Amino acid sequence: MALFLMAPLLGEVVGAALRLSYFVEPLRVVSILCFYGAGVVLVREIAQRLRCNGWGMVLLGVAYALIEGGLALQTIFNSQGMDGEMVFGRAAGVNWFWAVLVCGYHVVWSVLIPIGVVHIVFPGESRSPWLSRRMLWVFGGVFALGTALFALISLLRSDFRLSVVEIGAVLAIVGVLAWAASRCPARDTSCVPQRLPGTMRAGWTGLGFGLVWFAFHLVAFTGGGIPFVWWVLAAVLVAVAAAVIAARWMRRGWTARHRLAASFGAVLAAGLFGLLLVSLGDHLVDVVFEVIVIGGIVAGYRWARLRVGPT
């Protein structure tokens, strides 16, 4: 239940994709809760049953993002964003820059961070499956409902319709990603004890990479003055750099506090981005709500830091 609630909180509420003024739209709220809550629980369950390592989890996260952005909300193919704005970086019917950004966002903020934080808070249950076969079908049904509701929202807000080729391409890529994830088995590897950065540095690193990634989001809707191919390359390089740093720290045996601090920095970046978005809107209640959310994230981090201890 903690993961079921934390996934939509970190994936949608903190970044202001779901604002307080949107809570008058029950279809949107229910779809987000079903898709993010059940979807991330399923990603975690599949990873556990396949015994995936970190890279396998990343591949499953990309598959999850493609289902959301490619099949459900269709923002990867639709030339207009969720609110009717034009998307920068489009070629051959695909919003390439946005596809990279949405995949990176969901892998980190919707999948890896919620799962990682729940594992830190509940370490005793972090290495075992949580769902029985019956509950696996139940969560699968809830996720399918969320996907269907997202698709309905997409159909209601836009005249855009996916072609059979686009649907088939997304399903094929999702299948390949799931197969590739199954080929990434987790192995017990010994860490090489080396000097680790302080938790403060881990937090600042998460914050820095997060702010850069959300700056890319602004470019996706405003245009960058240079060909989008270079923006795509820049986003990929940033993602690779973040992955290399995280992998290096993990090999050195970074602690739960390091992981928690890095996650907090990235989530705080999402909160600051969300605060910027609601500040540009015309609903003061959204600004107040976002400030409360950020305060809750800070308080939650302090509580979790005390809970996990120094190791």
Side-chain angles (χ1 to χ4, degrees):
M1 289 307 299
L3 181 57
F4 185 87
L5 296 175
M6 188 174 294
L9 172 65
L10 299 185
E12 291 288 281
V13 176
V14 174
L18 178 61
R19 309 173 188 182
L20 186 60
S21 61
Y22 294 167
F23 277 77
V24 297
E25 305 174 27
L27 184 63
R28 179 182 291 215
V29 176
V30 172
S31 62
I32 287 174
L33 189 62
C34 292
F35 186 90
Y36 284 84
V40 175
V41 170
L42 285 175
V43 168
R44 191 254 175 211
E45 193 71 12
I46 293 170
Q48 288 293 326
R49 291 171 182 264
L50 295 178
R51 299 187 180 277
C52 295
N53 59 18
W55 290 113
M57 184 77 78
V58 168
L59 293 174
L60 290 175
V62 175
Y64 168 87
L66 289 177
I67 293 174
E68 192 256 13
L71 294 180
L73 293 178
Q74 306 170 15
T75 55
I76 290 177
F77 298 105
N78 195 342
S79 61
Q80 296 181 341
M82 283 297 297
D83 297 316
E85 66 276 15
M86 298 302 295
V87 181
F88 170 71
R90 181 176 179 82
V94 179
N95 302 320
W96 296 101
F97 187 39
W98 178 250
V100 172
L101 294 182
V102 76
C103 286
Y105 174 80
H106 285 307
V107 166
V108 176
W109 281 269
S110 299
V111 175
L112 293 183
I113 291 180
I115 293 175
V117 170
V118 172
H119 282 182
I120 290 172
V121 177
F122 301 99
E125 293 81 21
S126 62
R127 294 183 178 273
S128 60
W130 292 344
L131 302 180
S132 65
R133 180 172 297 181
R134 178 181 178 182
M135 291 305 297
L136 194 63
W137 281 103
V138 170
F139 274 82
V142 175
F143 177 64
L145 174 62
T147 304
L149 291 176
F150 269 168
L152 176 61
I153 292 173
S154 178
L155 293 175
L156 292 175
R157 73 175 177 83
S158 173
D159 294 330
F160 176 79
R161 301 293 183 268
L162 287 174
S163 68
V164 175
V165 173
E166 291 166 337
I167 295 174
V170 173
L171 290 176
I173 295 173
V174 168
V176 170
L177 290 170
W179 172 83
S182 69
R183 311 299 293 179
C184 298
R187 296 185 177 89
D188 292 330
T189 57
S190 58
C191 298
V192 180
Q194 296 184 36
R195 183 179 179 182
L196 282 169
T199 55
M200 184 71 73
R201 181 180 171 186
W204 281 111
T205 301
L207 176 65
F209 276 110
L211 290 176
V212 171
W213 200 256
F214 288 109
F216 285 147
H217 278 67
L218 297 178
V219 175
F221 293 102
T222 61
I226 61 176
F228 76 89
V229 174
W230 296 107
W231 286 111
V232 171
L233 179 60
V236 171
L237 290 177
V238 168
V240 171
V244 168
I245 291 175
R248 181 182 180 187
W249 286 352
M250 283 189 288
R251 286 196 300 270
R252 292 183 177 185
W254 67 341
T255 66
R257 282 197 170 187
H258 285 90
R259 300 194 301 274
L260 193 62
S263 298
F264 169 70
V267 172
L268 183 59
L272 295 175
F273 178 72
L275 185 60
L276 172 63
L277 292 182
V278 296
S279 298
L280 298 175
D282 54 359
H283 292 90
L284 179 60
V285 66
D286 288 337
V287 178
V288 175
F289 179 69
E290 187 67 22
V291 172
I292 294 174
V293 168
I294 294 174
I297 293 298
V298 174
Y301 167 69
R302 291 178 63 87
W303 172 82
R305 192 171 186 272
L306 293 174
R307 180 182 174 90
V308 301
T311 59

